[in-house]
Amino acid sequence: MGSRRLGLVLACCLLLAFACGLVLGRMPRGTQEQPEQEGTREPPMDHAERDEEEHEKYGPRQDEEAPASRCLRCCDPATPVYQAIPVPQINITILKGEKGDRGDRGLQGKYGKTGSVGARGHTGPKGQKGSMGAPGDRSKNHYAAFSVGRKKPLHSNDYYQTVIFDTEFVNLYSHFNMFTGKFYCYVPGIYFFSLNVHTWNQKETYLHIMKNAEEVVILYAQVSDRSIMQSQSLMLELRDQDEVWVRLFKGERENAIFSDEFDTYITFSGYLVKPANEP
């Protein structure tokens, strides 16, 4: 709207200047150059008379045709509306500047939904044989059992004695050490143990089944005129590296167990009932 109004104002100014030029050009030179005589001036006319005089003087007569180009004032009510001057358009594409610097990296967007699993690819070529790995831990068997015997008699003295066995019936995985006379636990769990001895006439029989350094159960027989077979059994829960063995009591009284080289009178046995790692 502002551009259109500015164009109309400029057009009106141009038309007014052009009309004034025509009016001055049609006036007779004698009239323009005739000096006014002093004392002969007519009284001034008002606006209505002046307009009527100008209309009779410069307006067309009845027998004359109207001029081809007629001057109109912009303030007349019948002034024609002139066409608006078009606003010049600028092609913005030709004003493209140089490429700017790269901006900072934006924040990472949200992860999209997981896509469907693709088809399985082709089988690749067989790789080369790898190097040998480090040795693993020793395999722990879930079995343990032993049964040993003694063919020599044993008499007490001033200190405790470990009963050493000289006959091996069963010794699975060598968990029973024949040199120390002790069973070593390598498979933790529940074990059953049994001890059998033959008493000596007129002598006391006094032994303990030991767990590590602890006295667990006793095998005892009083002094008697005749010898008998005496036994003791129990179940123990063992942990790794626990020791189970038989000890003869020291010689506060005459204490002995009987055996000979022809028969085995003394036996010590044990086996795993249930490993600890089983539910």
Side-chain angles (χ1 to χ4, degrees):
M1 292 296 294
S3 301
R4 185 175 181 180
R5 289 179 180 178
L6 181 61
L8 291 175
V9 171
L10 293 176
C12 291
C13 293
L14 292 174
L15 290 174
L16 182 61
F18 181 73
C20 293
L22 290 177
V23 170
L24 294 176
R26 295 178 63 178
M27 291 179 61
R29 292 184 178 181
T31 306
Q32 296 178 4
E33 297 176 358
Q34 182 180 358
E36 296 181 356
Q37 297 179 2
E38 295 181 0
T40 60
R41 293 183 180 178
E42 297 179 357
M45 295 181 294
D46 56 2
H47 292 285
E49 294 177 353
R50 185 181 301 172
D51 292 340
E52 184 178 355
E53 183 179 355
E54 289 180 359
H55 179 70
E56 292 178 357
K57 184 177 181 179
Y58 300 106
R61 296 185 179 87
Q62 295 181 356
D63 54 350
E64 293 181 359
E65 295 180 359
S69 61
R70 184 180 180 184
C71 179
L72 299 176
R73 289 181 294 181
C74 61
C75 55
D76 291 342
T79 302
V81 179
Y82 295 94
Q83 186 177 2
I85 300 174
V87 179
Q89 300 294 330
I90 301 175
N91 189 2
I92 302 179
T93 58
I94 64 176
L95 301 178
K96 184 177 180 181
E98 298 180 357
K99 185 177 181 180
D101 298 334
R102 185 175 181 178
D104 297 335
R105 185 176 182 179
L107 300 176
Q108 184 177 0
K110 296 181 179 180
Y111 290 101
K113 296 181 179 180
T114 304
S116 58
V117 180
R120 185 174 181 179
H122 300 288
T123 304
K126 185 177 180 180
Q128 298 179 357
K129 185 177 180 180
S131 58
M132 181 180 294
D137 297 334
R138 186 180 65 175
S139 176
K140 293 185 178 182
N141 301 302
H142 296 286
Y143 302 98
F146 73 94
S147 181
V148 293
R150 178 183 175 95
K151 292 188 176 186
K152 295 180 181 180
L154 183 63
H155 294 269
S156 62
N157 50 31
D158 295 336
Y159 52 88
Y160 295 109
Q161 297 181 73
T162 302
V163 179
I164 303 298
F165 298 89
D166 51 27
T167 303
E168 184 179 80
F169 300 109
V170 174
N171 191 7
L172 190 62
Y173 307 117
S174 299
H175 290 179
F176 188 89
N177 192 320
M178 298 296 291
F179 297 97
T180 61
K182 296 181 179 181
F183 170 77
Y184 296 91
C185 177
Y186 295 104
V187 183
I190 307 299
Y191 284 81
F192 175 81
F193 295 97
S194 175
L195 175 63
N196 296 280
V197 298
H198 192 276
T199 63
W200 203 307
N201 295 340
Q202 303 299 324
K203 293 183 180 181
E204 188 179 41
T205 302
Y206 192 4
L207 300 100
H208 285 97
I209 296 179
M210 307 289 293
K211 176 184 176 182
N212 299 324
E214 178 186 358
E215 299 173 353
V216 182
V217 294
I218 186 174
L219 188 152
Y220 179 76
Q222 294 180 344
V223 178
S224 176
D225 293 337
R226 60 188 183 92
S227 62
I228 59 174
M229 293 294 297
Q230 195 79 350
S231 66
Q232 180 66 279
S233 61
L234 77 161
M235 297 181 70
L236 292 175
E237 182 177 2
L238 301 181
R239 297 181 179 178
D240 191 25
Q241 298 302 318
D242 280 346
E243 302 174 1
V244 180
W245 49 289
V246 180
R247 186 189 71 179
L248 183 66
F249 201 77
K250 60 185 178 180
E252 296 177 355
R253 296 182 298 270
E254 192 174 0
N255 179 23
I257 52 178
F258 174 79
S259 188
D260 59 32
E261 297 180 358
F262 301 99
D263 295 309
T264 303
Y265 289 89
I266 306 169
T267 60
F268 182 41
S269 303
Y271 59 88
L272 177 65
V273 177
K274 180 181 180 296
N277 59 1
E278 286 187 1

